[in-house]
Amino acid sequence: MKLKKYFISAFALLALASCGNKMDYHEYKVDDADYIKEMFSRVGGFTTTIYQQLDYDFGNYSGAMLSSATDESAYSHSGNAIEDFYNGAWSPSNAKSSIWSSSYKGISYCNLLLDEFQGLTFPDYQLDVDYLKEMHQYLNYQWEARWARAYFYFTLVRQYGDVPLKVEHMNAADANTLPRVAADTIFKFIDDECAAIKDSIIADYNSLGNMALSIAESGRANNLAVLALRARAALYYASPLFNPNNDKERWHKAALRCKEAIDACKARSMSLAADYMALFQSDNYKDTREIIFTRRQNSMTASNAFEKYNFPIGMENAGGGNCPTQNLVDAFEMTNGKAIDEADSGYDPQNPYANRDKRLSWIVACNGEQWPNANPNPLEIYNGGANAAPIPYATTTGYYLKKYCNPSTVIGATGANAFYHNYVLFRLAELYLNYAEAMLNYTGSGYSTAEGLSMTAAEAINIVRTRAGQPNIATGLSASDFKKKYENERFVELAFEGHRFFDVRRWKEAPDYFKTIRKMTITKSGDNLTFTTGTLETRQWDDKMYLFPIPQSEIQKSGGALTQNPGW
């Protein structure tokens, strides 16, 4: 079978044995399948292109992150396409369909590898010194591809619900006419695939013994990535958007899936890393303590684009960017564990950043902070300050973003530098929070256990809180109050990691969170600052937006096989 215009990684030419830890994503063109099949390195390179289709968000909307379509942040450049999500411009003809395109491309690559590139022996290279090691890696590609295919279907089902299920390589004409399959079937496919491959895929690329290639390929999915995907998908399937009748057994299964993943991480001596901020810096791929899987950036293109988008206005070449909202800042508790609006919390509205959860200073840059390293003066975010209005594109919320920004980056014309940015797709802290949510909804309490599930929801949350120096969650909370605390904890811990947009949707709570976006206004008189919170904007919400519209172009190509999501 001829494959016209297929693309594979240029690093295949260098042989996969020397791929290193960065998982290069360069491309080059080849002509047909026979060319790829000749060499292990070419098949390896083709496998690597699958990873290129994994999602990440370093400002996919001309600098705006998906967070700026939620209550996490507001993008400081008005008129950006991110506003389409909440200003009425979102539609089947403006469908925000990048995930549809990239996921189905990735699925096609997976199916092609599974259907066309199995059973190879590379006979011309059997005398190579690394032949057995290469064959060991080659035999693992099928499991990597099946994991990736399951992951792509997860990104599709969480966004669209029912989607076409394509599990074999086929031409475009046939693929375009596939009908949508029920979300129940898609979630079952994901769970079944993960169950089928979890004991076959390489468990740890750093512990391959005499089967290891010269450099550990830690950028590839291992068994923990499989278990983490299975757990997250089970949680989504149990959530109100996909579980309108609140089938408790779905929550039970989600808790079991999370426990299996957590236990596997603990068996590998994993725990929460001491340095939260380091989890989102350039060398985070080296972390073997908390991070399960990162979507790697091409090692040949270290970049400072993310910092240019998000560093404070007032710095040369800075864009202001995705500015954390007051909604998010208010979610950070006091160090005594009380919410800022609780009695006896100690919160002072005129000294609002004192005695707060340390994660506030790890994620958000506030007035008076020295941020980033190249900025010589403390941030002046008060009206008329060096980093504030009326300067164009200054923060509209009173804050700037730290998370994922490298503080050592220099974006000015003199001494500019750049770093890698690797997007965290799975980490252990999320698994603990996923478990807590599943247990709360299964048992009806934050403090209950169940057969085979000895850790309570509170105990799971407390593991996450302890890393931040926060006291244990209060005892005796009602289920509804515990749920509120849990959602707040998830908001804070996972901020800017791509969860909020989908969490609030799967909970079907968007009107409670996404409509009113709040800001901090700071005024200065002499040496005195006055802090005033208020509404930045009121955004539109329609319940049809719990799911994305199917792109109108795809419906047209299908000849009527695809139907549109309700309301669109």
Side-chain angles (χ1 to χ4, degrees):
M1 175 182 178
K2 299 294 183 181
L3 302 175
K4 299 300 183 183
K5 298 184 179 178
Y6 262 95
F7 293 85
I8 74 173
S9 168
F11 110 125
L13 295 177
L14 305 178
L16 205 59
S18 61
C19 78
N21 286 332
K22 289 277 193 288
M23 290 290 290
D24 294 341
Y25 291 148
H26 281 9
E27 296 179 338
Y28 83 104
K29 187 170 71 175
V30 298
D31 294 320
D32 56 42
D34 291 338
Y35 177 85
I36 298 174
K37 292 176 181 179
E38 288 175 356
M39 295 175 62
F40 160 78
S41 60
R42 292 173 186 162
V43 179
F46 185 80
T47 306
T48 303
T49 62
I50 293 170
Y51 289 91
Q52 190 180 24
Q53 307 309 316
L54 297 176
D55 58 316
Y56 66 98
D57 187 4
F58 289 124
N60 294 341
Y61 294 90
S62 300
M65 303 171 73
L66 206 55
S67 63
S68 289
T70 76
D71 54 349
E72 282 182 318
S73 64
Y75 199 60
S76 64
H77 298 237
S78 62
N80 186 278
I82 200 69
E83 298 172 10
D84 294 350
F85 283 108
Y86 56 80
N87 68 5
W90 198 10
S91 71
S93 59
N94 180 28
K96 308 300 183 187
S97 58
S98 60
I99 289 294
W100 180 283
S101 300
S102 62
S103 292
Y104 275 116
K105 181 186 289 186
I107 289 165
S108 294
Y109 286 154
C110 292
N111 288 336
L112 181 66
L113 185 143
L114 292 167
D115 290 353
E116 298 287 337
F117 299 148
Q118 299 306 301
L120 303 179
T121 60
F122 314 107
D124 292 343
Y125 300 91
Q126 289 180 357
L127 297 180
D128 286 4
V129 65
D130 286 332
Y131 178 76
L132 291 179
K133 298 177 183 180
E134 291 173 348
M135 286 303 298
H136 183 260
Q137 177 70 79
Y138 162 74
L139 293 173
N140 192 63
Y141 291 157
Q142 61 185 306
W143 314 123
E144 293 181 61
R146 289 177 68 176
W147 170 83
R149 185 173 61 181
Y151 181 82
F152 292 133
Y153 274 115
F154 169 73
T155 64
L156 288 165
V157 73
R158 74 175 177 182
Q159 193 156 300
Y160 295 100
D162 304 353
V163 293
L165 180 62
K166 183 175 66 169
V167 294
E168 61 184 21
H169 183 57
M170 58 179 61
N171 62 46
D174 291 338
N176 287 340
T177 59
L178 289 174
R180 300 174 70 183
V181 172
D184 290 354
T185 301
I186 302 297
F187 279 113
K188 185 178 186 302
F189 173 79
I190 295 167
D191 190 73
D192 288 348
E193 281 291 276
C194 290
I197 67 177
K198 66 186 179 69
D199 296 324
S200 299
I201 196 169
I202 287 176
D204 186 354
Y205 290 88
N206 293 308
S207 301
L208 291 179
N210 60 10
M211 283 294 104
L213 294 169
S214 59
I215 300 177
E217 299 190 70
S218 59
R220 297 185 180 277
N222 62 11
N223 72 325
L224 297 183
V226 175
L227 296 175
L229 170 60
R230 193 184 192 198
R232 187 189 291 176
L235 184 74
Y236 271 66
Y237 188 45
S239 300
L241 181 61
F242 300 104
N243 186 18
N245 296 322
N246 196 26
D247 179 354
K248 294 289 187 180
E249 185 55 28
R250 293 194 194 180
W251 291 112
H252 183 206
K253 287 184 178 180
L256 291 171
R257 302 290 186 258
C258 291
K259 179 181 183 297
E260 181 183 19
I262 290 169
D263 287 348
C265 289
K266 290 167 68 176
R268 205 165 296 172
S269 300
M270 294 178 68
S271 61
L272 300 196
D275 189 345
Y276 178 94
M277 295 183 73
L279 294 173
F280 310 99
Q281 293 302 300
S282 301
D283 58 355
N284 59 355
Y285 67 89
K286 296 179 182 178
D287 177 88
T288 58
R289 185 170 181 177
E290 178 173 349
I291 291 179
I292 295 169
F293 185 81
T294 60
R295 199 283 194 190
R296 303 299 173 82
Q297 187 188 55
N298 185 342
S299 65
M300 301 300 292
T301 56
S303 172
N304 61 16
F306 187 72
E307 285 75 19
K308 284 183 176 179
Y309 285 140
N310 293 290
F311 272 177
I313 284 296
M315 296 181 65
E316 184 180 6
N317 294 326
N322 299 277
C323 302
T325 62
Q326 191 63 41
N327 308 55
L328 175 61
V329 172
D330 283 349
F332 292 90
E333 297 173 344
M334 305 299 290
T335 53
N336 60 16
K338 292 181 179 291
I340 62 172
D341 58 354
E342 285 187 68
D344 301 319
S345 70
Y347 176 69
D348 180 355
Q350 295 308 312
N351 190 16
Y353 315 126
N355 302 314
R356 301 291 291 276
D357 181 334
K358 287 186 290 189
R359 287 173 291 190
L360 175 60
S361 66
W362 297 343
I363 296 170
V364 179
C366 302
N367 183 73
E369 286 192 61
Q370 181 70 46
W371 172 262
N373 297 351
N375 192 18
N377 301 307
L379 291 174
E380 298 179 359
I381 311 181
Y382 50 82
N383 288 342
N387 311 107
I391 302 173
Y393 310 131
T395 174
T396 57
T397 65
Y399 305 99
Y400 288 105
L401 177 64
K402 284 185 177 179
K403 195 165 179 176
Y404 273 121
C405 290
N406 190 315
S408 298
T409 304
V410 177
I411 61 173
T414 302
N417 58 13
F419 297 91
Y420 308 124
H421 295 77
N422 304 303
Y423 196 71
V424 177
L425 288 184
F426 295 103
R427 62 184 177 98
L428 182 54
E430 182 211 338
L431 287 178
Y432 280 114
L433 293 174
N434 292 353
Y435 177 89
E437 182 176 343
M439 282 295 287
L440 172 64
N441 284 279
Y442 176 53
T443 67
S445 168
Y447 313 99
S448 297
T449 60
E451 184 177 353
L453 297 165
S454 60
M455 180 170 57
T456 67
E459 288 169 341
I461 292 174
N462 289 339
I463 291 171
V464 177
R465 292 172 63 85
T466 296
R467 190 246 305 274
Q470 289 298 101
N472 287 346
I473 196 167
T475 58
L477 296 176
S478 66
S480 59
D481 287 343
F482 193 98
K483 177 176 178 288
K484 182 179 178 181
K485 280 285 189 181
Y486 164 78
E487 291 184 359
N488 191 82
E489 189 69 26
R490 192 174 179 95
F491 190 20
V492 167
E493 175 68 23
L494 302 179
F496 299 100
E497 294 180 51
H499 292 280
R500 186 69 173 176
F501 185 94
F502 296 103
D503 280 345
V504 172
R505 281 173 163 78
R506 65 183 177 84
W507 296 331
K508 298 195 74 174
E509 296 176 355
D512 297 334
Y513 289 118
F514 284 175
K515 293 184 71 172
T516 302
I517 306 302
R518 302 177 63 246
K519 65 178 179 177
M520 173 69 79
T521 299
I522 309 172
T523 56
K524 184 176 183 181
S525 178
D527 293 331
N528 297 319
L529 297 176
T530 301
F531 296 82
T532 307
T533 60
T535 298
L536 173 66
E537 59 186 346
T538 301
R539 295 176 174 176
Q540 296 183 31
W541 178 262
D542 188 303
D543 284 353
K544 69 181 181 181
M545 295 190 292
Y546 281 122
L547 294 173
F548 278 47
I550 304 297
Q552 188 62 36
S553 58
E554 297 297 327
I555 292 177
Q556 292 172 341
K557 284 191 297 184
S558 76
L562 289 179
T563 57
Q564 187 55 267
N565 268 327
W568 291 105

